[in-house]
Amino acid sequence: MCAVHAARPASTDFGGAAIDGNGGERTEKANGNRGRGGRVIERERNIWLRLIHSARRSTLDWHSPSDRCDVRTSATGTRGNDLPALRTKPRPAPPSGLARFMHCIRVHQSASSTEEPAGGSHKKDHDRYPVFSVEFARVETPFIIGLWIFCASLAKIGFHMTPKLSKMFPESCLLIVVGVVIGVLLFHTSSGVQVSPLTPDTFFLYLLPPIILDAGYFMPNRLFFDHLGTILLFAVVGTIFNAIAIGTSLWAVGQSGLFEFDTPILDMMLFGSLVSAVDPVAVLAVFEEIHVNEILYIVVFGESLLNDAVTVVLYHMFEAYSEMGPANILPVDVASGIASFFVVALGGTVIGVIWGFLTGFVTRFTHQVRVIEPIFIFVMAYLAYLNAEIFHMSGILAITFCGITMKNYVEANISHKSHTTVKYAMKMLSSSCETVIFMFLGVATVNNAHSWNTWFVLLTVLFCTVYRFIGVMILASLANKFRLHQLNGVEKFVMSYGGLRGAVAFALVLLIDKNIVNLQPHFVTTTIAVIYFTVFFQGITIKPLVRILNVKRAEKRKPTMNERIHEKLMDHIMAGLEDVLGRHGNYHVRDRFKRFDTKYIRPWLIRDNKGAEPKILETYSKLTMKEAMEYMRRNASTIAAFPGTESMSTLFRNCTQTNMDASFSFTQLDSSVQNLDMQELEYNPSKKDLTDAKIHHLLSEELCKPRRHRRLSYSRHAVNDRDLSTQEVNYKMHMNMRHIISGKHHHKRSKKLNKEGKPHVSFPGITQNGSVKQFTHDYINEMLEESDSNDVDEARPSTSGLNDGPEGGIVFTAKSTPTNTDEAVVHTEDPHPKDPGKRSSRADSEEEAVHVTPTATETVLPWKRDDEAEQCTFPLKQQEFPGWCSNKEYLAYNSPSSTFLGGLDQPKVASVIGLFRRESTVDQEMARADAAILVIEECPASPVPSAVVCGTPPAPPKRPSSARRGSLLELGASVDPIPEEEAGTPESSANKSPPWAQRRRRKQGACSSSYEDFRSNEVGLLVTCGGPVGRVGGCVVGRGGAALSARAASSESELARDRVSRSVSASAATGNKKRRCRSSSSDAAAAASDRDKETQIGEEQDAGGQRGCHASAQWGSS
Amino acid sequence: MGNTSSLLLREDEIAQIQEKTGFTPNQIERLYSRFTSLDRGNCGTLSREDLLRIPELAINPLGDRIVHAFFQEGTGDSINFLQFMQVLAHFRPIKKNKDLKLNSREQKLKFAFKMYDLDSDGKISRDELLAILQMMVGSNISEEQLTSIAERTIFEADQDGDQMISFAEFCNALERTDVEQKMSIRFLN
């Protein structure tokens, strides 16, 4: 049907085509309608336009579309101005229309230059500049369009403000009523002919595509293709059956002379074909409100979409036949009609699919220009529609399949924000188009061109309903033979009842040429009647009926992780079973396609291909996101339950601000900065859990407020900031800071290297504070001594020449694997555990000190560790790192100040690059910075982070971490196996490998915790640097908080693990505790990742999303 | 019964299978022809190799597991036709009136559950889940991610806090899923 208009040049006028192919009469009517905004000039304009028309009819030499377009613009643009000119200077008709047209333009120009606007009633001198002037004509068309949309949307708001009304009636009904009211008003206020603004071109070219695109793009693919067979059966066979049955029945009744006019069979068939098609717009409007179960929905809705091809073909066929006349139809015409069905349907589908793939391909490259991402989706889908119309294919099929095809690929490519934009823009467009369509439908009803024939109308309505029911019943029982899910009686009923007719039929009936089909006015009236009957009667009653019949309702929900995974598993099982049975059913086909898709299509169309089953990942990240949100909300509300939180938070913020200043200057070293550790204020080992909980909740609360603040202050530029420029700016800022800081560290580092062995190496003091505090604490000392004696003795026997004994602090050497060119030896001496400020690290290397530097990223990030670590897939006990290490670490990280500043320090860490791009090799500078932070500063007195200082493979191989798994296993498994494993593994590994290697491995096991800390630090600092430096003080606390809490939780679980390793007897209790830690840590991690995502949304978006959840998984798992 | 190596099933065998599995004689005949076509050795039984020789099954990520599922109930390395049918009977669509035990919702779920539960301890451990995930998802996703997904999944379903998914928990997690539909095959009639 749509193809009809494509044949004609588009007359793009909303308020009615100025010059339409249909001939003068209708066009003039349309123009009459247009002037409702400026009624003053309406009649004048009509006169003027008639002049134009007469000119056009006289000569048709400027009949090309572009010329028409020009004429139209002149019609809209000049009508106000040059009307006086035309009136005052009546001329004989120019020899040709074109010349006359040129003349009009000239007149217009002269008029506009010399005369004041005609719309104004006031007169001024020619040479005076007007202070105020009115020119409605120039903006008339867009203004009226805007006005229509505005009114329609306003009406929509109105319905939703009257809940009773919108509960009883579907929106479509109410909109039609409003349209009728407006139509009546217009009809009575305006003189002359009144024609609806709903021209077929307007409908098919502008109003319909957004709705269909929305339907296709958000089509549940799986469901659609599962039921494709049934849908096609209904769409093709059902529609043909309906068309022919209605047509012949009307013809048969017409033979009896009941209608009092001639009913040629072909005209009746034409009418039957256009009135039989179920309308997607009407179906959508009603079915979205009644929420029937998804199978029912997809069958009815899918039918309404796919029957477009049938309708197009039938309509064209019968139109052509009636033009030819029954006598001239040859069998070959019928055959070509049938063939054209396949061409139209398959052609439209193919065009749509091709454009869909193209869209996916284009969005693959849009990551630099995120803002224009959504436009590709809209424009290319629209192009697909128009492209199909060019070739007289089914545009609806094209745009539907374009949406279906592009969705999966586009969603993987575009950023999260673009996704939101697309979603909302699409919904908005389709919803307003739908509104406008129904409203126009109402307006179109009111005209004086109706020719009512009661019998004809009644019988048409009756036949439509009856044949719909008959068709559905027959076809449904036919389909049931091939369906797993049987359509029961109630469903059949709803399917037949849901066969609503709508604007498509109306637009089609308007297209019928009155000169060929004499009954066109009757058809128009009857079509309107049928539409009203279905939309009003069926639309209103379907809701209660669905309730009475107890139709299974749809439940809107997101799949849980379990459902997603298990359902995928079931798919595979079923595909496998179909193979066993040798039956190639749905599952088999889908399996095939998926394999093909994963292997060949996705790599081409998706930038960051994630391999098979992207849905699992998607679900995971969505759930994580959601949980984080909920977590935040929950904690924001429970904050009142914690007494003293306010003071804590105030204190916290103040402290952090102070620290910020100090840390920014970087001239201050450890001595000058006061100890701002929060733990110091409140720390009580016996009440550890309580404190943890408090801080944890406090931090999560803190996460909210500064953020809100930031939103407000940046709301205006939010989009630009994130999508375009700020990321770069931030990145530059990162780089700057990194340069500053890494320069600093480099300096320090060399100093340290020079004074090898000297215990006092100064670092920015803030990070120290936590450890200072911790070490002065008796509890820790106790722990330290205890674990020293326990663990070190046990661990050391084979490591020769490296230890100075437990009392002399821990000295250890980390060597790289033999394959490494670099060899790093780091001594960390802690002669007096009570003096944590004293430490030294020495790095020996064959090359310069720079290379010794651990490149912590590489050693810490699990996938960057070298091959050696692969051997230890089992849990490792951290023997050389006594229990207090993690304990201390925990305290250090739990201390907001130190963490925060650690975070602050870390802009130089490869926050943007390193975290999310694991493939990228980390350059030495970053590595240096990392090392400085992680190893030396953050846990000065603790060997644990020093473990990070391992050999640096110049180009670390990329592979998953197995050591990490080991530690995870240890954490994740139930309590009992742990001690055994821990007891067992070191010995066995000791037998196999040299001591240093063994140690190294253990370190790597231990690294996992540091790794997490590292990660959380990064997040913290990423967030930190998201805002301008000036705000950092205020905002960072909150935003870094997630990282903090995640870290706190993770180190807590670390602590728990160490406890387990020390005392088997306490295993049960600790196990419980671990579990608790775990859950809280995963919560926090989720929060952190959310934060992470939010801040990164710009250029790092995709990577950020993925890796973000990856990172959160890291935290969560421990 | 299963030792038939003849091409045709005897009436009493058909009746027996029908009684045990609920398939109609027509379906049994069809499936038997499939069975014999799979049975390369013509020995009346199917081995794992016989099943894995099906090309599509060989590239199914879970192909091994699916084949394995056929051999869980029977003993040894081969299954006869009755055992074959008994496994397939799990996937018969549920009909209201004549409901047999084998194709109940619970049995269907049990079948899926066994896909995970390699060590048959009645629980899905993290590693078992991870193994399945790795098969399905492939190698493009890092192990950390998969691990966290697995843990998240277990955490979600785990009700008694043992870090495993028991069968009851499994059923609970899939409460809203239309297992009857998803795990049914419309057998040829």
Side-chain angles (χ1 to χ4, degrees), chain B residues 60-77:
Chain B
N60 191 314
L62 298 175
D64 280 335
R65 297 282 179 109
I66 292 166
V67 171
H68 183 67
F70 277 91
F71 293 89
Q72 271 180 347
E73 313 212 335
T75 50
D77 281 340

Side-chain angles (χ1 to χ4, degrees), chain A residues 135 329 371 458 605 794 832 1031:
Chain A
E135 191 183 7
I329 298 172
V371 265
L458 279 184
L605 298 186
E794 189 184 334
H832 306 291
R1031 293 180 184 275

Side-chain angles (χ1 to χ4, degrees), chain A residues 983-1028:
Chain A
T985 47
E987 282 138 28
S988 57
S989 66
N991 295 336
K992 277 183 280 181
S993 47
W996 54 265
Q998 176 198 350
R999 171 124 32 123
R1000 168 81 188 284
R1001 251 180 278 126
R1002 257 181 254 124
K1003 270 176 245 154
Q1004 281 163 344
C1007 278
S1008 60
S1009 71
S1010 319
Y1011 164 58
E1012 286 147 21
D1013 297 329
F1014 169 75
R1015 283 255 159 142
S1016 37
N1017 253 349
E1018 274 195 335
V1019 172
L1021 83 100
L1022 273 177
V1023 178
T1024 303
C1025 295

Side-chain angles (χ1 to χ4, degrees), chain A residues 566 627 965 1078 1113-1114, chain B residues 91 116 143-144 148 152 163:
Chain A
H566 301 327
E627 268 167 24
R965 260 189 95 190
R1078 244 188 106 193
Q1114 290 291 336
Chain B
F91 300 97
Y116 293 101
E143 199 167 325
E144 286 86 4
S148 52
R152 171 71 176 71
Q163 307 297 328

Side-chain angles (χ1 to χ4, degrees), chain A residues 501-791:
Chain A
R501 271 63 163 186
V504 171
F506 180 71
L508 281 179
V509 82
L510 285 187
L511 276 179
I512 297 177
D513 194 341
K514 206 190 283 180
N515 299 322
I516 297 170
V517 181
N518 297 322
L519 294 175
Q520 200 252 5
H522 281 285
F523 288 169
V524 173
T525 309
T526 314
T527 307
I528 289 177
V530 171
I531 293 170
Y532 273 40
F533 175 76
T534 54
V535 169
F536 276 91
F537 182 71
Q538 296 184 357
I540 291 173
T541 49
I542 198 169
K543 224 173 182 177
L545 270 177
V546 161
R547 216 171 28 237
I548 291 166
L549 292 172
N550 205 9
V551 179
K552 210 169 122 199
R553 298 299 189 93
E555 33 179 343
K556 288 270 175 188
R557 63 190 170 86
K558 294 261 156 63
T560 64
M561 210 59 225
N562 272 288
E563 283 166 350
R564 183 63 93 184
I565 291 177
H566 301 327
E567 281 169 18
K568 287 279 170 209
L569 177 97
M570 287 176 194
D571 286 349
H572 284 296
I573 294 176
M574 298 319 287
L577 271 170
E578 285 191 348
D579 298 333
V580 169
L581 291 174
R583 251 193 91 242
H584 293 177
N586 271 353
Y587 291 103
H588 175 82
V589 173
R590 182 182 307 115
D591 209 45
R592 271 245 163 121
F593 173 73
K594 270 181 96 171
R595 218 172 285 135
F596 180 79
D597 183 45
T598 312
K599 205 169 171 187
Y600 300 108
I601 303 178
R602 296 186 80 89
W604 279 97
L605 298 186
I606 293 180
R607 189 175 344 111
D608 188 17
N609 195 9
K610 314 234 170 44
E613 309 294 354
K615 291 274 181 188
I616 291 184
L617 269 186
E618 190 191 305
T619 311
Y620 177 69
S621 53
K622 263 187 196 161
L623 284 172
T624 320
M625 199 75 160
K626 206 178 99 202
E627 268 167 24
M629 293 297 203
E630 263 170 28
Y631 176 78
M632 304 286 294
R633 216 178 307 129
R634 206 171 53 231
N635 284 298
S637 61
T638 54
I639 189 67
F642 287 89
T645 8
E646 202 177 8
S647 66
M648 279 284 282
S649 65
T650 322
L651 197 58
F652 184 76
R653 199 176 300 134
N654 290 343
C655 288
T656 324
Q657 264 163 350
T658 324
N659 280 350
M660 287 295 304
D661 299 339
S663 63
F664 265 128
S665 71
F666 280 116
T667 51
Q668 313 264 22
L669 294 183
D670 54 343
S671 55
S672 57
V673 183
Q674 50 187 1
N675 184 0
L676 297 162
D677 186 9
M678 294 301 295
Q679 288 295 307
E680 195 173 14
L681 301 170
E682 190 118 334
Y683 182 65
N684 185 353
S686 63
K687 289 199 286 179
K688 198 177 66 62
D689 295 345
L690 221 141
T691 321
D692 286 348
K694 206 175 248 180
I695 292 215
H696 189 71
H697 286 280
L698 165 70
L699 290 175
S700 21
E701 166 67 7
E702 281 297 321
L703 278 174
C704 290
K705 284 177 182 168
R707 186 167 171 74
R708 259 181 246 135
H709 169 68
R710 186 177 178 272
R711 269 274 163 81
L712 279 177
S713 57
Y714 281 94
S715 58
R716 187 164 268 248
H717 305 289
V719 171
N720 289 337
D721 276 354
R722 296 200 176 157
D723 283 355
L724 291 173
S725 52
T726 322
Q727 262 321 334
E728 277 174 58
V729 172
N730 281 345
Y731 183 66
K732 276 177 194 156
M733 203 169 75
H734 280 212
M735 292 302 280
N736 274 344
M737 290 179 77
R738 189 154 67 204
H739 279 302
I740 294 167
I741 294 163
S742 66
K744 207 86 197 166
H745 285 305
H746 185 55
H747 178 62
K748 270 180 238 148
R749 180 100 200 149
S750 49
K751 193 167 79 183
K752 184 172 50 197
L753 286 166
N754 292 338
K755 309 178 211 163
E756 185 183 317
K758 193 192 171 194
H760 275 286
V761 182
S762 306
F763 303 97
I766 308 93
T767 38
Q768 275 184 337
N769 292 326
S771 42
V772 171
K773 168 58 195 157
Q774 292 139 21
F775 274 82
T776 50
H777 208 283
D778 290 343
Y779 173 70
I780 301 301
N781 288 330
E782 200 181 292
M783 294 283 291
L784 180 135
E785 277 162 19
E786 183 188 316
S787 48
D788 266 0
S789 52
N790 286 347
D791 296 331

